[in-house]
């Protein structure tokens, strides 16, 4: 059975560090902790004893911020070009000192090596991250998984036990569970499953229907999904 999926917006800081947020439900506000996540991630959480999926949405930078970053990079590039040109013009216009003077010998000795041809150090030749910062995926298991999964809906061919009222009036039952069709207490078999409704009259479109049974999935007392099952009786329960 597909779980209820709810959208949840986080700031960039909340998504990077994780945060405790307030989730609004039909039954009221509930505070839950969200682990670090990225835009579009699905995070499992348990609210009111039920499991839900939260679709994380992290707003990206606006177009104005992107253009400011682009202009800053362009301005830095132009400044670097101007500095290189000014250095080149200074070297070409400088007059050499008289030959044979101590000053000329000292300058020639210093200028015989290009200050930019020196090999970079070993530390500088390596990138800041020579290895991946993470060797395995964080949060490989759901930190909020308490082990109580919402059961999947019964599919066609599933057999059920318990006792359904032999009446056309809807009544509450609590002892109906899935069993093997070869079990001695297999009393009913599902012939059609109708999702997103609790209207048992929908089974009228299936002429083989002998019993109708509905169930609801709730979170914090609020119904998030419902199913109607059209059944036939087995053995002495057949009509």
């Amino acid at each position: 059975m597909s779980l209820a999926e709810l959208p949840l917006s986080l700031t960039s800081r909340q998504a990077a560090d994780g945060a405790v947020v307030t989730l609004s439900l039909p039954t009221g506000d509930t505070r839950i902790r969200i682990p670090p996540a990225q835009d579009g991630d699905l995070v499992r959480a348990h609210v009111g004893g039920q499991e839900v999926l939260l679709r994380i949405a992290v707003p990206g930078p606006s177009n104005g911020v992107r253009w400011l970053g682009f202009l800053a990079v362009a301005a830095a590039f132009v400044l670097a070009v101007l500095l290189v040109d000014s250095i080149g013009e200074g070297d070409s216009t400088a007059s050499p000192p008289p030959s044979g003077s101590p000053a000329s010998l000292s300058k020639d000795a210093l200028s015989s090596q290009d200050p930019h041809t020196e090999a970079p150090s070993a530390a500088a030749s390596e990138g800041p991250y020579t290895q991946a910062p993470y060797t395995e995926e964080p949060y490989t298991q759901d930190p909020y998984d308490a082990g109580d999964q919402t059961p999947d809906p019964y599919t066609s061919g599933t057999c059920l036990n318990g006792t359904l009222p032999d009446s056309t009036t809807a009544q509450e039952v609590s002892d109906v569970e899935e069993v093997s069709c070869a079990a001695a207490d297999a009393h009913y078999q599902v012939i059609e499953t109708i999702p997103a409704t609790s209207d048992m009259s929908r089974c009228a479109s299936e002429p083989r229907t002998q019993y109708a049974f509905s169930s609801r999935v709730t979170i914090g007392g609020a119904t998030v999904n419902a199913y109607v099952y059209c059944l036939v009786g087995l053995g002495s329960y057949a009509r």
Side-chain angles (χ1 to χ4, degrees):
M1 182 184 70
S2 60
L3 301 178
E5 182 176 321
L6 302 176
L8 179 62
S9 296
L10 298 177
T11 65
S12 300
R13 181 65 176 274
Q14 289 175 326
D17 300 338
V20 176
V21 300
T22 299
L23 183 65
S24 296
L25 295 174
T27 56
D29 294 341
T30 301
R31 290 177 65 80
I32 59 174
R33 175 165 183 78
I34 303 299
Q38 297 180 355
D39 183 46
D41 284 355
L42 275 176
V43 176
R44 293 176 180 264
H46 284 81
V47 180
Q50 299 294 333
E51 185 179 45
V52 296
L53 293 177
L54 301 176
R55 178 71 68 177
I56 303 302
V58 182
S62 63
N63 291 333
V65 174
R66 294 192 183 98
W67 276 109
L68 286 177
F70 175 80
L71 292 177
V73 172
F77 177 78
V78 171
L79 181 60
V81 171
L82 293 176
L83 289 175
V84 170
D85 289 342
S86 64
I87 293 174
E89 292 174 359
D91 291 340
S92 61
T93 57
S95 58
S99 59
S101 66
S104 67
L105 294 176
S106 176
K107 183 175 182 179
D108 290 341
L110 291 176
S111 61
S112 62
Q113 294 183 351
D114 188 344
H116 301 289
T117 58
E118 187 175 350
S121 63
S125 63
E126 296 181 357
Y129 297 104
T130 57
Q131 295 181 352
Y134 299 104
T135 58
E136 60 182 13
E137 289 291 336
Y139 298 100
T140 56
Q141 295 183 351
D142 183 3
Y144 303 99
D145 186 5
D148 53 339
Q149 298 286 335
T150 302
D152 292 332
Y154 303 129
T155 57
S156 180
T158 300
C159 291
L160 308 173
N161 64 3
T163 302
L164 297 177
D166 190 5
S167 170
T168 57
T169 303
Q171 301 179 32
E172 183 176 355
V173 295
S174 60
D175 60 344
V176 177
E177 296 180 354
E178 179 178 353
V179 295
S180 170
C181 291
D185 60 344
H187 299 159
Y188 312 95
Q189 188 173 41
V190 179
I191 58 175
E192 184 177 357
T193 299
I194 306 175
T197 182
S198 58
D199 182 6
M200 292 184 290
S201 65
R202 295 281 297 276
C203 287
S205 62
E206 172 51 72
R208 296 177 296 163
T209 300
Q210 298 176 354
Y211 299 87
F213 169 58
S214 69
S215 67
R216 292 179 299 173
V217 179
T218 61
I219 296 179
T223 300
V224 296
N225 211 338
Y227 300 90
V228 167
Y229 303 101
C230 307
L231 315 172
V232 294
L234 300 177
S236 61
Y237 288 81
R239 290 177 174 175

